[in-house]
Amino acid sequence: MKATKSALLVGVGGQGPILTAKVLVNGLMKAGYDVKMSEVHGMSQRGGSVVTYVKYGDQVCSPTVEKGEADYILAFEQLEAARWLPYLKPDGKLIVNIQQIDPMPVVIGAAEYPQGVLDALKASGANITALDALSMAMDADSSKAVNVVLMGVLAQHMDLSRDVWDRALEETVPPKFLEMNKLAFSLGYDYCA
């Protein structure tokens, strides 16, 4: 029997959390899980918050993830990690890109980006892996591959074979971007915190 688990993918519009969720769902389905997914876009195309809920197990009735339930949170940006941290289980895993993306109040000068977000996340006691996924994506020749680098890091913590992830990428990513995305995934998958 496969226990029901859940993941939240959180970021801002334009960072690719939707593609990442599709790779995740595809891989989980290939491994034989029942999977449910729900997306909340907000003002995603204008840099607004985006969250994708994914639940998987033998039988899943709803993708909803309540506070304190997430086994994994994959955060594409520090502030989004802080916003969604209350949803992480006490023994859950937080994977966070150290990149900072200014929300609209900061962009228009009505607020400042909070200082010490990463330190506060670490001080929370959460099991955290913080990495510079943007630099790693640049090693794969695309700043747009941050999402796939992060997916690779998440995949390390999941009970699926590397072959399943490769097939999920092949079926989800357009062919002209496949090799770059496979490299980005490998960089994340092989990352040692």
Side-chain angles (χ1 to χ4, degrees):
M1 182 169 192
K2 298 174 182 171
T4 299
K5 292 192 173 187
S6 59
L8 293 180
L9 285 69
V10 301
V12 296
Q15 289 188 293
I18 306 305
L19 173 66
T20 309
K22 289 178 181 177
V23 172
L24 176 59
V25 168
N26 196 336
L28 290 167
M29 288 174 44
K30 287 188 176 321
Y33 288 98
D34 181 26
V35 184
K36 300 291 185 281
M37 178 180 92
S38 176
E39 304 165 355
V40 179
H41 298 272
M43 293 289 288
S44 60
Q45 292 184 337
R46 300 193 176 189
S49 183
V50 177
V51 60
T52 301
Y53 301 84
V54 177
K55 266 193 172 173
Y56 60 101
D58 276 338
Q59 184 176 9
V60 179
C61 298
S62 166
T64 305
V65 178
E66 301 295 333
K67 287 185 178 179
E69 277 189 353
D71 293 279
Y72 308 102
I73 295 180
L74 186 63
F76 294 69
E77 193 272 337
Q78 290 183 40
L79 204 52
E80 291 301 315
R83 179 190 321 257
W84 292 96
L85 184 61
Y87 286 78
L88 190 66
K89 282 182 175 178
D91 61 343
K93 179 68 177 173
L94 173 63
I95 299 164
V96 59
N97 180 19
I98 64 169
Q99 187 175 7
Q100 295 180 4
I101 297 177
D102 291 341
M104 194 52 65
V106 174
V107 171
I108 64 172
E112 291 185 15
Y113 195 99
Q115 298 299 308
V117 173
L118 197 55
D119 290 335
L121 289 170
K122 290 176 181 176
S124 74
N127 179 356
I128 182 172
T129 297
L131 67 148
D132 186 349
L134 179 58
S135 291
M136 294 171 71
M138 294 303 291
D139 290 342
D141 293 326
S142 176
S143 63
K144 294 183 178 185
V146 167
N147 59 333
V148 182
V149 169
L150 290 168
M151 184 62 235
V153 177
L154 175 60
Q156 290 179 27
H157 301 281
M158 303 182 86
D159 191 23
L160 278 72
S161 72
R162 178 61 193 266
D163 180 59
V164 167
W165 292 117
D166 286 339
R167 286 184 294 144
L169 283 166
E170 288 164 6
E171 293 180 13
T172 309
V173 174
K176 67 181 180 179
F177 301 117
L178 183 58
E179 289 310 311
M180 178 267 297
N181 278 282
K182 279 188 169 183
L183 175 57
F185 183 90
S186 291
L187 291 170
Y189 193 81
D190 296 335
Y191 178 76
C192 295

Coordinates of all heavy atoms in Angstrom, one line a residue, residues 18-111:
I18 N 4.2 25.5 -13.2 CA 3.2 24.7 -13.9 C 3.9 23.5 -14.6 O 3.5 22.4 -14.5 CB 2.3 25.5 -14.8 CG1 1.7 26.7 -14.0 CG2 1.2 24.6 -15.4 CD1 0.9 26.3 -12.8
L19 N 4.9 23.8 -15.4 CA 5.6 22.8 -16.1 C 6.2 21.8 -15.1 O 6.2 20.6 -15.3 CB 6.8 23.3 -17.0 CG 7.7 22.3 -17.6 CD1 6.9 21.5 -18.6 CD2 8.9 22.9 -18.3
T20 N 6.8 22.3 -14.0 CA 7.4 21.5 -13.0 C 6.3 20.5 -12.4 O 6.6 19.3 -12.2 CB 8.0 22.3 -11.9 OG1 8.8 23.3 -12.5 CG2 8.8 21.5 -10.9
A21 N 5.1 21.0 -12.2 CA 4.1 20.2 -11.7 C 3.7 19.1 -12.6 O 3.4 18.0 -12.3 CB 2.8 21.1 -11.3
K22 N 3.7 19.4 -13.9 CA 3.3 18.4 -14.9 C 4.4 17.3 -15.0 O 4.0 16.2 -15.1 CB 3.2 19.1 -16.3 CG 1.9 20.0 -16.4 CD 1.8 20.7 -17.7 CE 0.5 21.5 -17.7 NZ 0.4 22.3 -19.0
V23 N 5.7 17.7 -14.8 CA 6.7 16.6 -14.8 C 6.5 15.8 -13.6 O 6.6 14.5 -13.6 CB 8.1 17.3 -14.8 CG1 9.2 16.2 -14.6 CG2 8.4 18.0 -16.1
L24 N 6.2 16.4 -12.4 CA 6.0 15.7 -11.2 C 4.8 14.7 -11.3 O 5.0 13.5 -11.0 CB 5.8 16.7 -10.0 CG 5.4 16.1 -8.7 CD1 6.5 15.1 -8.2 CD2 5.2 17.2 -7.7
V25 N 3.7 15.2 -11.8 CA 2.5 14.4 -11.9 C 2.8 13.2 -12.9 O 2.4 12.1 -12.6 CB 1.3 15.2 -12.3 CG1 0.1 14.4 -12.8 CG2 0.9 16.2 -11.2
N26 N 3.4 13.5 -14.0 CA 3.7 12.5 -15.0 C 4.6 11.4 -14.4 O 4.3 10.2 -14.6 CB 4.4 13.2 -16.2 CG 4.4 12.3 -17.4 OD1 4.3 11.1 -17.4 ND2 4.5 12.9 -18.6
G27 N 5.6 11.8 -13.7 CA 6.5 10.8 -13.0 C 5.7 9.9 -12.0 O 5.9 8.7 -12.0
L28 N 4.9 10.6 -11.2 CA 4.2 9.9 -10.2 C 3.2 8.9 -10.8 O 3.0 7.8 -10.3 CB 3.5 10.8 -9.2 CG 4.4 11.7 -8.3 CD1 3.6 12.8 -7.7 CD2 5.0 10.8 -7.3
M29 N 2.5 9.3 -11.9 CA 1.6 8.4 -12.5 C 2.3 7.2 -13.2 O 1.8 6.1 -13.1 CB 0.8 9.2 -13.6 CG -0.2 10.1 -12.9 SD -1.2 11.3 -14.0 CE -1.6 10.3 -15.4
K30 N 3.5 7.5 -13.7 CA 4.3 6.4 -14.3 C 4.7 5.4 -13.3 O 4.8 4.2 -13.5 CB 5.5 6.9 -15.0 CG 5.2 7.6 -16.3 CD 6.5 8.0 -17.0 CE 6.1 8.6 -18.4 NZ 5.0 8.0 -19.0
A31 N 4.8 5.8 -12.0 CA 5.2 4.9 -10.9 C 4.0 4.2 -10.3 O 4.1 3.5 -9.3 CB 6.0 5.7 -9.9
G32 N 2.8 4.5 -10.9 CA 1.6 3.8 -10.4 C 0.8 4.4 -9.4 O -0.1 3.8 -8.8
Y33 N 1.1 5.7 -9.1 CA 0.3 6.4 -8.1 C -1.0 7.0 -8.7 O -1.0 7.4 -9.8 CB 1.1 7.6 -7.5 CG 2.2 7.1 -6.6 CD1 3.5 7.1 -7.1 CD2 2.0 6.8 -5.2 CE1 4.6 6.7 -6.2 CE2 3.0 6.4 -4.4 CZ 4.3 6.4 -4.9 OH 5.4 6.0 -4.1
D34 N -2.0 7.1 -7.8 CA -3.2 7.9 -8.1 C -2.7 9.3 -7.7 O -2.2 9.5 -6.7 CB -4.4 7.4 -7.3 CG -5.6 8.3 -7.6 OD1 -5.8 8.8 -8.7 OD2 -6.5 8.3 -6.7
V35 N -2.9 10.3 -8.7 CA -2.4 11.6 -8.4 C -3.5 12.6 -8.7 O -4.3 12.5 -9.7 CB -1.2 11.9 -9.4 CG1 -0.7 13.3 -9.1 CG2 -0.2 10.9 -9.3
K36 N -3.6 13.6 -7.8 CA -4.5 14.7 -8.0 C -3.7 16.0 -7.9 O -2.8 16.1 -7.1 CB -5.6 14.8 -6.9 CG -6.5 13.5 -6.9 CD -7.4 13.4 -8.1 CE -8.4 12.3 -8.1 NZ -7.8 11.0 -8.4
M37 N -4.0 17.0 -8.8 CA -3.3 18.2 -8.8 C -4.3 19.4 -8.9 O -5.3 19.3 -9.6 CB -2.4 18.2 -10.0 CG -1.6 19.5 -10.2 SD -0.5 19.5 -11.6 CE -1.5 20.2 -12.9
S38 N -4.0 20.5 -8.3 CA -4.8 21.7 -8.4 C -3.8 22.9 -8.5 O -2.8 22.9 -7.8 CB -5.7 21.9 -7.2 OG -6.4 23.1 -7.3
E39 N -4.1 23.9 -9.3 CA -3.3 25.0 -9.5 C -4.0 26.3 -9.1 O -5.2 26.4 -9.4 CB -2.8 25.2 -11.0 CG -2.1 24.0 -11.5 CD -2.0 24.0 -13.0 OE1 -2.6 24.9 -13.7 OE2 -1.4 23.1 -13.6
V40 N -3.3 27.2 -8.5 CA -3.9 28.5 -8.2 C -2.9 29.5 -8.8 O -1.7 29.6 -8.4 CB -4.0 28.7 -6.7 CG1 -4.6 30.1 -6.4 CG2 -4.9 27.7 -6.1
H41 N -3.4 30.3 -9.8 CA -2.5 31.1 -10.5 C -2.4 32.6 -10.1 O -1.4 33.2 -10.2 CB -2.9 31.2 -12.0 CG -2.8 29.8 -12.7 ND1 -1.7 29.4 -13.3 CD2 -3.7 28.8 -12.8 CE1 -1.9 28.2 -13.8 NE2 -3.1 27.8 -13.5
G42 N -3.4 33.1 -9.5 CA -3.4 34.5 -9.1 C -3.1 35.4 -10.3 O -3.6 35.1 -11.4
M43 N -2.2 36.3 -10.1 CA -1.8 37.2 -11.2 C -0.4 36.6 -11.8 O 0.6 37.3 -11.8 CB -1.6 38.6 -10.7 CG -2.9 39.3 -10.3 SD -3.9 39.7 -11.8 CE -3.0 41.0 -12.5
S44 N -0.5 35.3 -12.1 CA 0.8 34.6 -12.4 C 1.6 35.2 -13.6 O 2.8 35.3 -13.5 CB 0.5 33.2 -12.7 OG -0.4 33.0 -13.8
Q45 N 0.9 35.7 -14.6 CA 1.6 36.3 -15.7 C 2.2 37.7 -15.4 O 3.0 38.2 -16.1 CB 0.7 36.4 -16.9 CG 0.4 35.0 -17.5 CD -0.4 35.1 -18.7 OE1 -1.1 36.1 -19.0 NE2 -0.4 34.1 -19.5
R46 N 1.9 38.2 -14.2 CA 2.4 39.5 -13.9 C 3.3 39.4 -12.6 O 3.4 40.3 -11.8 CB 1.3 40.5 -13.6 CG 0.5 40.7 -14.9 CD -0.4 41.8 -14.9 NE -1.0 41.9 -16.2 CZ -1.8 42.9 -16.6 NH1 -2.0 43.9 -15.7 NH2 -2.3 42.9 -17.7
G47 N 3.9 38.2 -12.4 CA 4.7 38.1 -11.2 C 4.0 37.8 -9.9 O 4.7 37.8 -8.9
G48 N 2.7 37.4 -10.0 CA 2.0 37.1 -8.8 C 2.3 35.7 -8.3 O 2.9 34.9 -9.0
S49 N 1.8 35.4 -7.1 CA 2.0 34.1 -6.5 C 1.3 33.0 -7.2 O 0.2 33.2 -7.7 CB 1.5 34.2 -5.1 OG 1.7 33.0 -4.4
V50 N 2.0 31.9 -7.3 CA 1.5 30.7 -8.0 C 1.7 29.5 -7.0 O 2.8 29.4 -6.5 CB 2.2 30.4 -9.3 CG1 1.6 29.1 -9.9 CG2 2.0 31.5 -10.3
V51 N 0.7 28.7 -6.8 CA 0.9 27.5 -6.0 C 0.2 26.3 -6.7 O -0.9 26.5 -7.2 CB 0.3 27.7 -4.5 CG1 -1.1 28.0 -4.5 CG2 0.6 26.4 -3.7
T52 N 0.9 25.2 -6.7 CA 0.3 24.0 -7.2 C 0.3 22.9 -6.1 O 1.3 22.7 -5.5 CB 1.1 23.5 -8.4 OG1 1.1 24.5 -9.4 CG2 0.5 22.2 -9.0
Y53 N -0.9 22.4 -5.9 CA -1.0 21.3 -4.9 C -1.0 20.0 -5.6 O -1.7 19.8 -6.6 CB -2.4 21.4 -4.2 CG -2.7 22.7 -3.5 CD1 -3.2 23.8 -4.2 CD2 -2.5 22.8 -2.1 CE1 -3.5 25.0 -3.5 CE2 -2.7 24.0 -1.4 CZ -3.2 25.1 -2.2 OH -3.5 26.2 -1.5
V54 N -0.2 19.0 -5.1 CA -0.1 17.7 -5.7 C -0.2 16.7 -4.5 O 0.5 16.7 -3.6 CB 1.2 17.4 -6.4 CG1 1.3 16.0 -7.0 CG2 1.4 18.4 -7.6
K55 N -1.2 15.8 -4.7 CA -1.3 14.7 -3.7 C -1.3 13.4 -4.5 O -1.8 13.3 -5.6 CB -2.7 14.7 -3.0 CG -2.6 15.5 -1.7 CD -3.9 15.2 -0.9 CE -3.8 15.8 0.5 NZ -5.1 15.7 1.2
Y56 N -0.6 12.4 -3.9 CA -0.5 11.1 -4.6 C -0.4 9.9 -3.5 O -0.1 10.1 -2.4 CB 0.8 11.1 -5.4 CG 2.1 11.3 -4.7 CD1 2.9 10.2 -4.3 CD2 2.5 12.5 -4.3 CE1 4.1 10.4 -3.6 CE2 3.7 12.7 -3.6 CZ 4.5 11.7 -3.3 OH 5.7 11.8 -2.6
G57 N -0.9 8.8 -4.0 CA -1.0 7.6 -3.1 C -1.8 6.5 -3.8 O -1.9 6.5 -5.1
D58 N -2.3 5.5 -3.1 CA -3.1 4.5 -3.7 C -4.4 5.0 -4.2 O -4.8 4.7 -5.3 CB -3.4 3.4 -2.7 CG -2.2 2.3 -2.6 OD1 -1.4 2.2 -3.5 OD2 -2.1 1.7 -1.5
Q59 N -5.0 5.8 -3.4 CA -6.3 6.4 -3.8 C -6.4 7.8 -3.2 O -6.3 7.9 -2.0 CB -7.5 5.6 -3.4 CG -8.8 6.1 -3.8 CD -10.0 5.2 -3.5 OE1 -9.8 4.3 -2.7 NE2 -11.1 5.5 -4.0
V60 N -6.5 8.8 -4.0 CA -6.5 10.2 -3.6 C -7.8 10.8 -4.1 O -8.2 10.7 -5.2 CB -5.3 11.0 -4.2 CG1 -5.4 12.4 -3.7 CG2 -4.0 10.4 -3.8
C61 N -8.6 11.4 -3.1 CA -9.9 12.0 -3.5 C -9.8 13.5 -3.8 O -10.6 14.0 -4.6 CB -10.8 11.7 -2.3 SG -11.1 10.0 -2.0
S62 N -8.8 14.2 -3.2 CA -8.8 15.6 -3.4 C -7.3 16.1 -3.4 O -6.5 15.5 -2.7 CB -9.5 16.3 -2.2 OG -9.2 17.7 -2.2
P63 N -7.0 17.1 -4.2 CA -5.6 17.6 -4.2 C -5.3 18.6 -3.0 O -4.2 19.0 -2.8 CB -5.5 18.3 -5.5 CG -6.9 18.8 -5.8 CD -7.8 17.7 -5.2
T64 N -6.3 18.9 -2.3 CA -6.2 20.0 -1.3 C -5.2 19.5 -0.2 O -5.2 18.4 0.3 CB -7.5 20.2 -0.6 OG1 -8.5 20.6 -1.5 CG2 -7.4 21.4 0.4
V65 N -4.3 20.5 0.1 CA -3.3 20.3 1.2 C -3.5 21.3 2.2 O -3.5 22.5 2.0 CB -1.8 20.4 0.6 CG1 -0.8 20.2 1.7 CG2 -1.6 19.4 -0.5
E66 N -3.7 20.9 3.4 CA -4.0 21.8 4.6 C -2.7 22.2 5.3 O -1.7 21.5 5.1 CB -5.0 21.2 5.5 CG -6.3 20.8 4.9 CD -7.2 21.9 4.5 OE1 -7.0 23.0 5.0 OE2 -8.0 21.7 3.6
K67 N -2.8 23.2 6.1 CA -1.6 23.5 6.9 C -1.1 22.3 7.7 O -1.9 21.6 8.3 CB -1.9 24.7 7.9 CG -2.1 26.0 7.2 CD -2.3 27.2 8.1 CE -2.4 28.5 7.3 NZ -2.6 29.6 8.2
G68 N 0.2 22.2 7.7 CA 0.9 21.1 8.4 C 0.8 19.7 7.7 O 1.2 18.7 8.3
E69 N 0.3 19.7 6.5 CA 0.2 18.4 5.8 C 1.2 18.1 4.7 O 1.4 17.0 4.3 CB -1.2 18.4 5.1 CG -2.3 18.0 5.9 CD -3.6 17.8 5.1 OE1 -3.6 18.0 3.9 OE2 -4.6 17.3 5.7
A70 N 1.9 19.1 4.2 CA 2.8 18.9 3.0 C 4.0 18.1 3.4 O 4.8 18.5 4.3 CB 3.1 20.2 2.4
D71 N 4.3 17.0 2.7 CA 5.5 16.3 2.8 C 6.7 17.0 2.2 O 7.8 16.9 2.7 CB 5.4 14.9 2.1 CG 4.4 14.0 2.9 OD1 4.7 13.4 3.9 OD2 3.2 14.0 2.4
Y72 N 6.4 17.8 1.1 CA 7.4 18.5 0.4 C 6.9 19.9 0.1 O 5.7 20.0 -0.3 CB 7.8 17.8 -0.9 CG 8.2 16.4 -0.7 CD1 7.3 15.4 -1.1 CD2 9.4 16.0 -0.3 CE1 7.6 14.0 -1.0 CE2 9.8 14.7 -0.1 CZ 8.9 13.7 -0.5 OH 9.2 12.4 -0.4
I73 N 7.7 20.9 0.2 CA 7.4 22.2 -0.4 C 8.6 22.5 -1.3 O 9.8 22.5 -0.8 CB 7.2 23.3 0.6 CG1 5.9 23.0 1.4 CG2 7.1 24.7 -0.1 CD1 5.6 24.1 2.5
L74 N 8.3 22.8 -2.5 CA 9.4 23.2 -3.5 C 9.1 24.7 -3.8 O 8.1 25.0 -4.4 CB 9.2 22.3 -4.8 CG 10.3 22.5 -5.9 CD1 11.6 22.1 -5.3 CD2 9.9 21.7 -7.1
A75 N 10.0 25.5 -3.3 CA 9.8 27.0 -3.4 C 10.8 27.6 -4.4 O 12.0 27.4 -4.3 CB 10.0 27.6 -2.0
F76 N 10.3 28.3 -5.4 CA 11.1 28.8 -6.4 C 11.7 30.2 -6.0 O 12.5 30.7 -6.8 CB 10.2 29.0 -7.7 CG 9.7 27.8 -8.3 CD1 8.8 27.0 -7.6 CD2 10.2 27.3 -9.5 CE1 8.4 25.8 -8.2 CE2 9.8 26.2 -10.1 CZ 8.9 25.4 -9.4
E77 N 11.3 30.7 -4.8 CA 11.7 32.0 -4.4 C 11.6 32.0 -2.9 O 10.7 31.4 -2.3 CB 10.8 33.0 -5.1 CG 11.3 34.4 -5.0 CD 10.8 35.2 -3.8 OE1 9.8 34.7 -3.2 OE2 11.4 36.2 -3.4
Q78 N 12.5 32.8 -2.2 CA 12.5 32.8 -0.7 C 11.2 33.2 -0.1 O 10.8 32.6 0.9 CB 13.6 33.7 -0.2 CG 15.0 33.3 -0.5 CD 16.0 34.3 0.1 OE1 15.8 34.8 1.2 NE2 17.1 34.5 -0.6
L79 N 10.7 34.3 -0.5 CA 9.5 34.9 0.2 C 8.3 33.9 0.0 O 7.5 33.8 1.0 CB 9.1 36.3 -0.4 CG 8.3 37.2 0.4 CD1 8.9 37.4 1.8 CD2 8.2 38.6 -0.3
E80 N 8.2 33.2 -1.1 CA 7.1 32.3 -1.3 C 7.3 31.1 -0.3 O 6.4 30.5 0.2 CB 7.0 31.8 -2.7 CG 6.5 32.9 -3.7 CD 5.1 33.4 -3.3 OE1 4.2 32.6 -3.0 OE2 4.9 34.6 -3.3
A81 N 8.6 30.7 -0.1 CA 8.9 29.6 0.9 C 8.4 30.0 2.2 O 7.8 29.2 2.9 CB 10.4 29.4 0.9
A82 N 8.6 31.3 2.6 CA 8.2 31.8 4.0 C 6.7 31.8 4.0 O 6.1 31.4 5.0 CB 8.8 33.1 4.2
R83 N 6.0 32.2 3.0 CA 4.6 32.3 2.9 C 3.9 31.0 3.1 O 2.9 30.8 3.8 CB 4.1 32.9 1.6 CG 2.6 33.1 1.4 CD 2.2 33.4 0.0 NE 3.0 34.4 -0.6 CZ 2.8 35.7 -0.8 NH1 1.7 36.2 -0.3 NH2 3.6 36.5 -1.4
W84 N 4.5 29.9 2.5 CA 3.9 28.6 2.6 C 4.4 27.6 3.6 O 4.0 26.5 3.8 CB 4.0 28.0 1.2 CG 3.1 28.7 0.2 CD1 3.5 29.7 -0.7 CD2 1.7 28.6 0.0 NE1 2.4 30.2 -1.4 CE2 1.3 29.5 -1.0 CE3 0.7 27.8 0.6 CZ2 0.0 29.7 -1.4 CZ3 -0.6 27.9 0.2 CH2 -1.0 28.8 -0.8
L85 N 5.5 28.1 4.4 CA 6.1 27.2 5.4 C 5.1 26.6 6.3 O 5.2 25.4 6.7 CB 7.2 28.0 6.1 CG 8.0 27.2 7.1 CD1 8.7 26.0 6.5 CD2 8.9 28.1 7.9
P86 N 4.0 27.3 6.8 CA 3.1 26.7 7.7 C 2.4 25.4 7.2 O 1.8 24.6 7.9 CB 2.0 27.8 8.0 CG 2.8 29.1 7.7 CD 3.7 28.7 6.6
Y87 N 2.5 25.2 5.9 CA 1.8 24.0 5.3 C 2.7 22.7 5.4 O 2.3 21.6 5.1 CB 1.5 24.3 3.8 CG 0.3 25.2 3.7 CD1 0.4 26.5 3.9 CD2 -1.0 24.6 3.4 CE1 -0.7 27.4 3.8 CE2 -2.1 25.4 3.3 CZ -2.0 26.8 3.6 OH -3.1 27.6 3.5
L88 N 4.0 22.9 5.7 CA 4.9 21.8 5.8 C 4.7 21.0 7.1 O 4.5 21.5 8.1 CB 6.4 22.3 5.8 CG 7.5 21.3 5.6 CD1 7.4 20.7 4.2 CD2 8.8 22.0 5.9
K89 N 4.7 19.6 6.9 CA 4.7 18.7 8.1 C 5.9 19.0 8.9 O 7.0 19.4 8.4 CB 4.7 17.3 7.6 CG 3.5 16.7 7.1 CD 3.7 15.3 6.7 CE 2.4 14.6 6.3 NZ 2.5 13.2 5.9
P90 N 5.8 18.7 10.2 CA 7.0 18.8 11.1 C 8.2 18.0 10.5 O 9.4 18.5 10.7 CB 6.6 18.3 12.4 CG 5.1 18.5 12.4 CD 4.7 18.3 11.0
D91 N 8.0 16.9 9.9 CA 9.1 16.1 9.3 C 9.2 16.2 7.8 O 9.8 15.4 7.2 CB 9.0 14.6 9.7 CG 7.7 14.0 9.2 OD1 6.8 14.7 8.8 OD2 7.6 12.7 9.2
G92 N 8.6 17.3 7.3 CA 8.6 17.5 5.8 C 9.9 18.1 5.3 O 10.8 18.4 6.1
K93 N 10.0 18.2 4.0 CA 11.2 18.7 3.4 C 10.9 20.0 2.6 O 10.0 20.0 1.8 CB 11.8 17.6 2.4 CG 13.0 18.0 1.7 CD 14.2 18.2 2.6 CE 15.5 18.5 1.9 NZ 16.6 18.8 2.8
L94 N 11.7 21.0 2.9 CA 11.6 22.3 2.2 C 12.8 22.5 1.3 O 13.9 22.4 1.8 CB 11.5 23.5 3.2 CG 11.5 24.9 2.6 CD1 10.3 25.2 1.7 CD2 11.6 25.9 3.8
I95 N 12.5 22.6 0.0 CA 13.6 22.9 -0.9 C 13.3 24.3 -1.5 O 12.2 24.6 -2.0 CB 13.5 21.9 -2.1 CG1 13.8 20.5 -1.5 CG2 14.6 22.2 -3.2 CD1 13.4 19.3 -2.5
V96 N 14.3 25.2 -1.3 CA 14.1 26.6 -1.7 C 15.2 27.1 -2.5 O 16.4 26.9 -2.2 CB 13.8 27.5 -0.4 CG1 15.0 27.4 0.6 CG2 13.5 28.9 -0.8
N97 N 14.9 27.8 -3.6 CA 15.8 28.5 -4.4 C 16.1 29.8 -3.6 O 15.2 30.5 -3.2 CB 15.2 28.8 -5.8 CG 16.1 29.6 -6.7 OD1 17.3 29.6 -6.5 ND2 15.5 30.2 -7.7
I98 N 17.4 30.2 -3.5 CA 17.7 31.4 -2.8 C 17.5 32.7 -3.5 O 17.6 33.8 -2.9 CB 19.2 31.4 -2.3 CG1 20.2 31.4 -3.5 CG2 19.5 30.2 -1.4 CD1 21.6 31.6 -3.1
Q99 N 17.0 32.6 -4.7 CA 16.7 33.8 -5.5 C 15.6 34.6 -4.8 O 14.7 34.1 -4.2 CB 16.2 33.3 -6.9 CG 16.0 34.4 -7.9 CD 15.7 33.9 -9.3 OE1 15.5 32.7 -9.5 NE2 15.6 34.8 -10.2
Q100 N 15.7 35.9 -5.0 CA 14.7 36.8 -4.5 C 14.0 37.5 -5.7 O 14.7 38.1 -6.5 CB 15.3 37.9 -3.6 CG 15.9 37.4 -2.3 CD 16.5 38.5 -1.5 OE1 16.4 39.7 -1.8 NE2 17.1 38.1 -0.4
I101 N 12.7 37.4 -5.8 CA 12.0 38.1 -6.8 C 11.0 39.1 -6.1 O 10.2 38.7 -5.3 CB 11.2 37.1 -7.7 CG1 12.2 36.2 -8.4 CG2 10.3 37.9 -8.7 CD1 11.6 35.2 -9.3
D102 N 11.2 40.4 -6.5 CA 10.4 41.4 -5.8 C 8.9 41.3 -6.1 O 8.6 41.3 -7.3 CB 10.9 42.8 -6.2 CG 12.3 43.1 -5.7 OD1 12.7 42.5 -4.7 OD2 12.9 44.0 -6.2
P103 N 8.1 41.2 -5.1 CA 6.6 41.3 -5.4 C 6.2 42.7 -5.8 O 7.0 43.6 -5.6 CB 6.0 40.8 -4.0 CG 7.1 41.2 -3.0 CD 8.4 41.1 -3.7
M104 N 5.0 42.8 -6.3 CA 4.6 44.1 -6.8 C 4.7 45.2 -5.8 O 5.1 46.3 -6.2 CB 3.1 44.0 -7.4 CG 2.7 45.2 -8.2 SD 3.9 45.6 -9.6 CE 3.8 44.1 -10.6
P105 N 4.3 45.1 -4.5 CA 4.5 46.2 -3.6 C 6.0 46.7 -3.5 O 6.2 47.9 -3.3 CB 4.0 45.7 -2.3 CG 3.1 44.6 -2.6 CD 3.7 44.0 -3.9
V106 N 6.9 45.8 -3.7 CA 8.3 46.2 -3.7 C 8.7 46.9 -5.0 O 9.3 47.9 -5.0 CB 9.2 45.0 -3.4 CG1 10.7 45.4 -3.6 CG2 9.0 44.4 -2.0
V107 N 8.2 46.3 -6.1 CA 8.5 46.9 -7.4 C 8.0 48.4 -7.5 O 8.7 49.2 -8.0 CB 7.8 46.1 -8.5 CG1 7.9 46.8 -9.9 CG2 8.5 44.7 -8.6
I108 N 6.8 48.7 -6.9 CA 6.2 50.0 -7.0 C 6.7 50.9 -5.9 O 6.3 52.1 -5.8 CB 4.7 50.0 -7.1 CG1 4.1 49.5 -5.8 CG2 4.2 49.2 -8.3 CD1 2.6 49.6 -5.7
G109 N 7.6 50.4 -5.0 CA 8.1 51.2 -3.9 C 7.2 51.4 -2.7 O 7.6 52.2 -1.8
A110 N 6.2 50.6 -2.6 CA 5.3 50.7 -1.4 C 5.8 49.8 -0.3 O 5.3 50.0 0.8 CB 3.9 50.2 -1.8
A111 N 6.8 49.0 -0.5 CA 7.3 48.1 0.5 C 8.7 47.8 0.2 O 9.2 48.0 -0.9 CB 6.5 46.9 0.7

